[in-house]
Amino acid sequence: MRPQILYPLFTDVGSLPGIGQKTARSITKLAGPRLVDLLWHLPTGLVDRRTIASVASIRQGGLVTLVVTVDSHLPGSGRRPYRVRCHDDSGGLDLVYFHGKTDWLSRTLPIGERRVVSGRADRFQEMVQMVHPDHIAPVEELEQVASVEPQYPLTAGLTPRTLRRTIEAALAAAPPLPEWIDAGLLKVRGWPDWQTAIRQAHQPQDAVDLEASTPARARLAYDELLANQTALAVVRNAWRRRPGRPINGDGRLTEPVRSALPFALTGAQSTALAEIRGDMASAFRMLRLLQGDVGSGKTVVALLAMLSAVEAGAQAVLLAPTEILARQHFATITRLLEPVPVRVDILTGRDKGRGRAEILKRIAEGETALAVGTHALLQEDVAFRDLAFAVIDEQHRFGVDQRLAISAKGPAVDILVMTATPIPRTLQLTAYGDMDVSRLMEKPPGRRPVDTRTVSLDRLDDVLAAVGRKLSEGAKIFWVCPLVDESEDLDLATARERHEVLRQHFGDRVGLVHGRMKAGERDAAIAAFARDEGDLAGQRVDILVATTVIEVGVDVPAANVLIVEHAERFGLAQLHQLRGRIGRGTADSVCILLYQPPLGDVARARLQTLRQTEDGFAIAEEDLRLRGAGEVLGTRQSGLPKLRLADLAQHAELIAAARDDALLALSRDPDLAQDRGKALRVLLYLFERDAAVRYLRSG
Ligand code: ADP
Ligand code: MG
């Protein structure tokens, strides 16, 4: 249960007086639906209105606050703006309004009255004027107006003033909270308490107050990192503390499957498998990360581990982040399991009604030994007879909540998380805390290097000619369209356009796949490309135009050419993932990165890196160097929790501190039951890491 002290912060913005539905919607879009979301929406700039000027002193344009007396109103007409003529002791000033509303203006600026006005004033020869003042107020409010105003990122339909007022209301609702930071640390760092910090962060007085290193901002960032690390540590502790269940396979399934593989496991795969089996056999609850580059062979390792659980008479599950990936895993696993009688079922959001009910029945009765699927497997009515082992693929799409949900489906579920994101250590801490890690550093043998080239979009005609030659040699070609912006519609439009152009050149052999397709259509498009015989009507598809939906793990071993349009718009990690789609088969592979000249320095360095190496870890390090953590983490592939206050580039040093602090606090008070522990619980709720609280023994 959320602590009562936080209730005010978790009320809806719409419940504030004076906030209508429309404004509430805009605010929700910008920051989030509740007051607490507004607290995390920190200013990115400030407007300094402290200069109180006289009209005569205004030379060049600038932001000023003035006290003036209103002389007359000159209503506008046609293109002429409405003018309100004013003066102070030193000279005359016009307030200028385009499309000014007469009655509002005469009410706000009555003739003969004195008013504070603030805004940008400009001088044209002898005329001083202020177009659309930001503020008009009675003289008594001079002090409030002549101050420093925080400036916030905005969205359409929201004025700066409305947003500021709403944030002020959120600040007013922010109570003093019990201190969760270690007293010694607080003192050494010179950080304010939480309530002071959140207020200071929203009330910058100077540009330096906007920097990430100010005590207020550093503290808030630390709070967020501490919440994150505490949640991870709680989960891990709980895991370690729960009775595990020694699972020992006898090899009767794994051995036939392993010996039927058309290859031998690499050393790295064998080591990882041994580590996983060691965890499974122990009395501890396993929580392990299997990290390995795209194509490093994680799936086989995971499958053999799952089979050990089946050998021990239990069930295993594989959770994938997307429908496409789930289907692919299902297909791979079904194929690899041919030598043994093991029932695999797949469950995704697509399964409905009777079909779904039958699958659920098989899972519940234990007839299904291996279940593969998406989030659909986490639904409450999915029950296992005896689930012992869960593999979560590409875990960044899942969170602690999902781990919790899946672990609740068995008496002692061991968990293996697979990720293809090679992230450096500090960043890894943020995503996973101190998890045990197995790494697949070496790639399977026989993997042919990909010939990567960069080509200017000016030479598109040459590329099309080359594509024609490749097609006649039997190539299978992925053509990835650019990210246009955050809008899927625009991404789609460019993909459609490219599809059309390619069809004009190469006819019906060009297929299209994009994120807006229904899952079934998408699978069919990919399957048609993957099959040599083409689609159901027998139409061969040799070029597949795709938006970035293919980046996460689509496996078409025959694909040997990848063309990425506007490669300069993609992140390094993303390009690396995309390139992982080819070079899986026996044919020579080529990756063409089409770029729009002129290239900036960073884009050039990025493309250069890709030409030089295929090592995911080297690429990740280079990415970090070129762009800084913030951006690496910003990419869709990053695998990190969304942080609203901490900036991993700027606050990197705080991560390890937060980790140590969390571990220490939990070692002293494992159930967060003492004073500081209770404060840490408040912190977990404040940052909505409360899934972790359910792991604690009391309350
Ligand atoms: P990941 O999941 O790590 O991206 P996969 O498990 O999908 O990688 O493996 C990629 C490809 O490499 C698959 O086609 C798989 O059959 C193959 N593969 C896996 N292990 C080996 C190995 N030891 N030797 C040769 N090929 C392998
Ligand atoms: Mg895979």
Side-chain angles (χ1 to χ4, degrees), residues 21-100:
Q21 271 190 13
K22 241 180 84 193
T23 309
R25 265 203 301 278
S26 299
I27 291 178
T28 301
K29 193 166 144 230
L30 179 68
R34 300 144 316 170
L35 295 189
V36 70
D37 299 310
L38 281 171
L39 293 184
W40 307 151
H41 193 68
L42 295 184
T44 46
L46 50 81
V47 185
D48 189 346
R49 301 188 187 280
R50 285 176 296 191
T51 312
I52 301 178
S54 63
V55 173
S57 71
I58 295 167
R59 297 273 152 243
Q60 286 142 344
L63 193 70
V64 289
T65 301
L66 301 153
V67 179
V68 294
T69 305
V70 180
D71 296 324
S72 59
H73 283 239
L74 311 169
S77 71
R79 296 234 208 119
R80 252 190 345 188
Y82 193 113
R83 287 176 176 273
V84 181
R85 199 137 279 173
C86 311
H87 75 275
D88 70 3
D89 291 347
S90 70
L93 164 93
D94 275 2
L95 304 178
V96 179
Y97 288 88
F98 295 92
H99 316 294

Side-chain angles (χ1 to χ4, degrees), residues 263-266 269 293-300 444-445 447 584:
F263 47 76
L265 294 186
T266 63
Q269 283 172 318
D293 213 346
V294 197
S296 59
K298 296 184 292 296
T299 314
V300 181
R447 198 55 51 87
R584 298 178 157 224

Side-chain angles (χ1 to χ4, degrees), residues 250-258 304 307 310-311 340-342:
D250 56 13
R252 86 194 127 82
L253 300 171
T254 45
E255 280 321 309
V257 170
R258 188 211 288 253
L304 291 173
L307 283 179
V310 178
E311 284 168 356
V340 290
V342 172

Side-chain angles (χ1 to χ4, degrees), residues 128-433:
V128 178
Q129 64 177 38
M130 185 182 283
V131 178
H132 293 190
D134 303 324
H135 294 278
I136 303 168
V139 180
E140 304 84 75
E141 288 174 24
L142 175 60
E143 209 177 314
Q144 284 104 292
V145 174
S147 63
V148 180
E149 244 168 47
Q151 249 182 340
Y152 295 99
L154 280 169
T155 183
L158 207 54
T159 66
R161 183 197 299 244
T162 307
L163 182 60
R164 262 195 330 267
R165 294 232 164 117
T166 323
I167 291 178
E168 277 162 19
L171 284 172
L177 295 176
E179 186 55 74
W180 46 73
I181 296 182
D182 173 71
L185 182 67
L186 204 61
K187 200 157 157 230
V188 169
R189 299 271 182 172
W191 286 339
D193 64 69
W194 180 78
Q195 192 192 40
T196 310
I198 195 74
R199 287 185 181 163
Q200 283 179 358
H202 282 281
Q203 286 153 5
Q205 294 301 303
D206 259 307
V208 293
D209 297 336
L210 297 166
E211 287 172 11
S213 57
T214 61
R217 289 203 177 210
R219 183 209 153 112
L220 294 173
Y222 186 80
D223 288 344
E224 185 171 40
L225 294 168
L226 183 62
N228 181 49
Q229 290 299 319
T230 305
L232 291 166
V234 163
V235 173
R236 185 187 149 96
N237 273 2
W239 225 278
R240 298 235 131 217
R241 201 160 60 188
R242 285 182 188 190
R245 149 182 195 195
I247 295 275
N248 287 297
D250 56 13
R252 86 194 127 82
L253 300 171
T254 45
E255 280 321 309
V257 170
R258 188 211 288 253
S259 52
L261 289 175
F263 47 76
L265 294 186
T266 63
Q269 283 172 318
S270 301
T271 308
L273 192 56
E275 286 166 347
I276 295 165
R277 289 207 174 121
D279 284 355
M280 292 171 82
S282 83
F284 282 125
R285 197 69 75 88
M286 158 165 132
L287 183 56
R288 180 175 284 276
L289 186 65
L290 177 59
Q291 199 180 29
D293 213 346
V294 197
S296 59
K298 296 184 292 296
T299 314
V300 181
V301 172
L303 174 64
L304 291 173
M306 288 195 286
L307 283 179
S308 294
V310 178
E311 284 168 356
Q315 290 166 290
V317 65
L318 171 58
L319 280 175
T322 65
E323 172 100 28
I324 294 188
L325 274 180
R327 303 238 157 240
Q328 214 167 266
H329 277 309
F330 180 69
T332 309
I333 288 176
T334 311
R335 188 162 38 80
L336 294 175
L337 287 183
E338 263 163 29
V340 290
V342 172
R343 168 121 207 176
V344 193
D345 265 309
I346 177 164
L347 186 76
T348 72
R350 234 195 279 173
D351 297 297
K352 304 252 151 64
R354 277 259 298 283
R356 178 171 184 275
E358 275 163 25
I359 299 169
L360 293 199
K361 184 160 177 279
R362 286 200 293 274
I363 295 177
E365 289 174 355
E367 195 186 330
T368 303
L370 289 183
V372 178
T374 57
H375 282 87
L377 278 168
L378 298 175
Q379 282 158 356
E380 255 177 50
D381 56 348
V382 181
F384 289 78
R385 189 180 62 81
D386 183 16
L387 181 65
F389 186 58
V391 181
I392 305 183
D393 188 13
E394 313 281 356
Q395 97 106 33
H396 57 278
R397 315 254 175 150
F398 297 94
V400 168
D401 264 336
Q402 278 77 20
R403 273 190 228 157
L404 186 65
I406 200 67
S407 77
K409 292 192 183 291
V413 181
D414 281 331
I415 292 195
L416 180 69
V417 174
M418 300 200 289
T419 176
T421 316
I423 37 178
R425 171 88 187 135
T426 26
L427 307 190
Q428 187 175 306
L429 270 183
T430 322
Y432 305 108

